[in-house]
């Protein structure tokens, strides 16, 4: 962990690249993404596809809009992901019989079976961080608080 500065921060300190939270988060995101790319290769999934599968493993069949809400993705980003997962035989999409504007996604038997192999993914990611479980839990909680604060500070796009 980085130590807290003992001297008062100056205006110059605030404009240093290595002092920017956005840069630290971006660098961490890229590093984590690279690790997930390697770990998920065994499952034949990309990181965004893995996120979709996590939602479906946790919640079962859902309307596509609901999957998008869970992942904070719009339908323009989510639809191609679902199409690729469907082509891979992991997900099936069907129009709702009650509202034909609504499309539901569900796991196929193959997609449900993939869950057993995916159990190792979080363990491998955690092991690669060098953090213990308490540190991972704390980081997750802090990032959740940061996200909530930023969501409250930035009005949704109209």
């Amino acid at each position: 962990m980085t130590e807290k500065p003992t001297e008062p921060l100056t205006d110059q300190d605030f404009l240093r690249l290595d002092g920017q939270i956005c840069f630290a988060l971006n660098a961490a995101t890229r590093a984590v993404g690279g690790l997930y790319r390697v770990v998920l290769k065994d499952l034949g999934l990309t990181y965004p596809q893995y996120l979709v599968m996590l939602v479906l493993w946790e919640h079962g069949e859902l309307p596509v809009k609901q999957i998008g809400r869970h992942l904070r993705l719009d339908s323009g980003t989510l639809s191609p992901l679902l199409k690729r997962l469907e082509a891979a035989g992991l997900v099936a999409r069907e129009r709702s019989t009650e509202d034909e504007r609504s499309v539901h996604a569900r796991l196929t038997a193959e997609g449900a079976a993939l869950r057993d192999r995916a159990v190792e993914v979080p363990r491998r990611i955690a092991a690669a961080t060098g953090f213990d479980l308490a540190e991972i839990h704390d980081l997750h909680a802090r990032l959740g608080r940061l996200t909530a604060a930023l969501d409250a500070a930035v009005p949704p796009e109209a």
Side-chain angles (χ1 to χ4, degrees), residues 40 46-56 67 71 73:
L40 292 172
T46 64
Y47 176 70
Q49 291 170 343
Y50 173 68
L51 296 179
V52 171
M53 296 300 288
L54 286 172
V55 170
L56 293 174
I67 296 169
L71 297 175
L73 294 175

Side-chain angles (χ1 to χ4, degrees), residues 18-157:
D18 63 359
Q20 302 298 309
I21 191 169
C22 59
F23 183 72
L25 289 170
N26 188 23
T29 298
R30 292 174 58 85
V32 167
L35 178 60
Y36 269 97
R37 212 173 0 270
V38 171
V39 172
L40 292 172
K41 188 174 185 181
D42 295 341
L43 299 179
L45 295 174
T46 64
Y47 176 70
Q49 291 170 343
Y50 173 68
L51 296 179
V52 171
M53 296 300 288
L54 286 172
V55 170
L56 293 174
W57 288 327
E58 184 176 346
H59 299 284
E61 181 176 334
L62 286 174
V64 171
K65 281 187 175 187
Q66 187 68 23
I67 296 169
R69 278 191 219 109
H70 281 289
L71 297 175
R72 302 171 68 107
L73 294 175
D74 62 42
S75 62
T77 303
L78 188 54
S79 290
L81 288 172
L82 289 168
K83 282 182 184 178
R84 286 192 292 278
L85 288 168
E86 189 171 37
L90 301 174
V91 169
R93 293 178 303 150
E94 298 168 359
R95 283 215 178 273
S96 168
T97 54
E98 291 126 25
D99 179 359
E100 66 180 47
R101 296 171 298 174
S102 179
V103 175
H104 289 243
R106 64 173 174 76
L107 295 167
T108 63
E110 187 177 345
L114 187 62
R115 185 181 189 277
D116 293 337
R117 290 179 43 218
V119 167
E120 285 303 310
V121 172
R123 291 182 183 131
R124 289 178 65 189
I125 298 299
T129 67
F131 288 9
D132 64 32
L133 291 177
E135 289 173 307
I136 290 172
H137 180 75
D138 181 59
L139 177 60
H140 187 273
R142 288 173 185 254
L143 289 171
R145 287 196 332 258
L146 175 64
T147 301
L150 296 175
D151 282 347
V154 179
E157 295 181 31

